[in-house]
Amino acid sequence: MTMRRALTSPFRFVARRPAATLAIVVAAAIGSVVAASRMGIDLLPPSYSSALHAYTDDLGAGAEKLKALLEARYEEHFGAPEEEVRHEPHKIVVTSPQVTDLVLTESYVCQIHAQSHIEVRALEGGYLREIHVREGQVVNEGDLMFEILPVLYKAKLDAEKAEAELARLEYSNTQMLSARKVVSENEVLLSKARHAKAAAEAELAEAELGFTEIKAPFDGLVDRQLQQRGSLIKEGDVLTTLDDNRVMWVYFNVPEAQYLEYMAAESRHEEEKIELVLAGGRTFDHLGTIGAIEANFNNKTGTIAFRADFPNPDRLLRHGQTGKVVLSRLAKAAVVIPQRAVFDVLARRFVYVLDDRGAARQREITVEHELEDVFVVEKGLGGDDRIVLEGNRQVQDGETIDYEYKSPDAVMEELKHRAE
């Protein structure tokens, strides 16, 4: 059945599609005539043959022009076709860890505060009579800063002093009469009590009047004056702020992982150096020390606040400045490898290490510190090991490989930022 269909299919095609069949026959005939003419055999009369040759030559020339035009348009829109590039397999490069002393640094954005920063407020109300300080002036403890004129408190003090003097005279007179047996001893005691009360009230009035003289509670730097001379001051009004900036407290936030690393290296903190970098990249002249670590982590940011204390003898630092704290410590005989030699598997870090026969073996490592281009390895590698630096994807565990060895010094020289 299948054979019969195959034999009859051309006849069925001709019967069903006569126009297509005629076009195929005409094209085949023209092709046969042209081919025979190219071979020197003319199947048509000479007049028809020459015309046919001219027509086919024009048709071929037009086709060549159309081809060139289409190729130019294609290159204009899509670019010239790229030649096939054959990539040869990359060479496998092997190196060794570098064992060296290097300085590990961490930097943190910080806020600078004076160790004492207070608001100087009026303890009593009245008119601001005198201002004895200037903005930006350094004052010593006990220096008079402001005077407030309290009319009522001055009058009260004068009245209380008069009452105290009157009670004193009455007490003195009662004592004289008691000596002459004119009054009893109880009268003397009552007079003495009235005198003591009057004296105490006079002292209270004097203390209240003393509140109108505002003095510096410590050595510091005067900030902006918020009230002017002659202003009517209410109790509690802020007059200025005072900063004790002989020592500055610098606060910065440390992530939890780096906090744990810092605490683990606590025994090596004597080799630690804490620097303060100010705006514009200037490094502060004095080194700092860690003064305090807050008790609680910030759960929103995952950080904990550190405080570094910096001496400020020249009073260069001011309250509210910002900068960058740089913590540096010396790591002796640190094992350093390039980061590109390491690959991760399920949050664990591995390298390929060559054994004595040149076979690559996976080995897990523990990273102590991460720099921009290198890892400082805590466990897993030694200075005599050979590790695969480039071509990790071409290496299979346990496979013997052909490689090119590059010295650790040469590898470190090629890094973007070499560890110092």
Side-chain angles (χ1 to χ4, degrees):
M1 187 67 177
T2 305
M3 182 66 70
R4 183 177 297 175
R5 287 181 179 177
L7 293 175
T8 58
S9 59
F11 300 100
R12 297 167 73 180
F13 178 83
V14 172
R16 294 181 178 180
R17 297 175 177 83
T21 303
L22 180 61
I24 293 173
V25 171
V26 172
I30 293 174
S32 299
V33 171
V34 172
S37 177
R38 296 297 184 189
M39 297 173 61
I41 303 174
D42 290 329
L43 299 179
L44 298 176
S47 59
Y48 290 102
S49 298
S50 59
L52 181 63
H53 286 310
Y55 175 75
T56 55
D57 290 341
D58 293 340
L59 186 62
E64 290 294 331
K65 292 180 180 180
L66 179 60
K67 177 183 176 183
L69 177 62
L70 292 176
E71 289 179 350
R73 294 295 185 183
Y74 180 87
E75 293 181 3
E76 179 180 351
H77 288 280
F78 302 101
E82 298 181 357
E83 296 183 359
E84 183 178 358
V85 179
R86 296 182 179 180
H87 297 280
E88 297 183 357
H90 292 289
K91 291 183 179 179
I92 297 176
V93 179
V94 172
T95 187
S96 296
Q98 187 181 54
V99 181
T100 182
D101 295 343
L102 76 159
V103 176
L104 303 179
T105 61
E106 293 286 352
S107 60
Y108 307 93
V109 176
C110 66
Q111 294 183 340
I112 303 173
H113 295 262
Q115 65 174 349
S116 296
H117 174 77
I118 65 168
E119 294 177 337
V120 179
R121 295 178 178 268
L123 299 176
E124 298 293 346
Y127 288 99
L128 186 57
R129 182 169 63 183
E130 291 293 341
I131 299 176
H132 297 276
V133 293
R134 302 182 310 276
E135 294 179 349
Q137 177 183 340
V138 177
V139 296
N140 298 319
E141 181 179 355
D143 286 352
L144 182 61
M145 300 177 65
F146 300 95
E147 284 187 75
I148 298 174
L149 179 62
V151 178
L152 294 179
Y153 286 105
K154 182 65 170 63
K156 182 180 178 180
L157 175 60
D158 294 338
E160 295 296 344
K161 284 184 175 181
E163 288 291 337
E165 179 64 19
L166 179 59
R168 186 188 67 80
L169 292 175
E170 289 180 353
Y171 174 56
S172 177
N173 186 48
T174 304
Q175 283 182 317
M176 182 181 63
L177 294 175
S178 176
R180 297 177 181 179
K181 306 296 182 179
V182 175
V183 296
S184 66
E185 188 66 24
N186 288 337
E187 289 292 335
V188 176
L189 295 177
L190 289 174
S191 180
K192 180 180 180 182
R194 285 193 293 268
H195 174 253
K197 179 183 177 181
E201 290 178 349
E203 290 179 1
L204 177 60
E206 187 173 5
E208 291 175 345
L209 182 62
F211 289 160
T212 61
E213 293 184 348
I214 302 174
K215 299 180 180 180
F218 51 76
D219 297 349
L221 192 67
V222 178
D223 199 0
R224 179 181 300 179
Q225 294 179 4
L226 303 179
Q227 303 290 343
Q228 302 300 320
R229 180 181 176 184
S231 301
L232 179 60
I233 305 300
K234 298 179 183 179
E235 180 180 349
D237 283 352
V238 180
L239 304 179
T240 187
T241 56
L242 186 65
D243 298 335
D244 182 3
N245 62 349
R246 291 171 296 179
V247 175
M248 303 301 290
W249 289 353
V250 179
Y251 291 91
F252 56 98
N253 295 322
V254 177
E256 184 175 355
Q258 295 176 10
Y259 161 78
L260 295 174
E261 180 182 327
Y262 177 86
M263 299 305 293
E266 190 172 6
S267 60
R268 292 174 284 177
H269 288 173
E270 62 275 3
E271 301 174 356
E272 185 178 59
K273 183 170 67 172
I274 303 175
E275 296 177 299
L276 178 60
V277 180
L278 304 176
R282 174 183 175 180
T283 301
F284 188 54
D285 295 336
H286 303 278
L287 299 178
T289 57
I290 297 297
I293 302 175
E294 284 193 1
N296 300 319
F297 271 89
N298 186 331
N299 293 331
K300 295 181 180 179
T301 61
T303 60
I304 190 170
F306 277 52
R307 193 195 81 203
D309 299 345
F310 286 85
N312 189 31
D314 301 326
R315 299 186 184 271
L316 174 65
L317 302 180
R318 300 297 176 96
H319 180 84
Q321 278 184 266
T322 59
K324 183 172 64 176
V325 170
V326 180
L327 273 65
S328 306
R329 64 179 177 86
L330 178 65
K332 296 182 179 179
V335 179
V336 182
I337 62 172
Q339 288 190 12
R340 66 174 182 267
V342 180
F343 58 95
D344 297 339
V345 178
L346 297 177
R348 298 160 64 187
R349 287 170 171 161
F350 293 85
V351 294
Y352 279 114
V353 182
L354 301 188
D355 59 17
D356 296 337
R357 297 179 301 169
R361 302 288 183 181
Q362 284 189 15
R363 184 183 296 178
E364 185 178 1
I365 62 172
T366 302
V367 174
E368 177 186 9
H369 200 83
E370 181 176 345
L371 302 179
E372 186 172 357
D373 293 320
V374 300
F375 286 132
V376 180
V377 179
E378 182 180 3
K379 292 188 300 183
L381 288 177
D384 297 332
D385 289 323
R386 295 174 297 165
I387 61 174
V388 176
L389 176 64
E390 297 177 0
N392 285 335
R393 297 180 180 273
Q394 302 171 229
V395 178
Q396 298 292 330
D397 189 39
E399 177 187 11
T400 301
I401 61 174
D402 294 328
Y403 61 87
E404 174 187 344
Y405 183 82
K406 185 176 291 187
S407 68
D409 293 338
V411 171
M412 292 300 173
E413 288 289 343
E414 294 175 356
L415 295 180
K416 180 180 179 182
H417 293 288
R418 186 179 55 178
E420 298 181 357

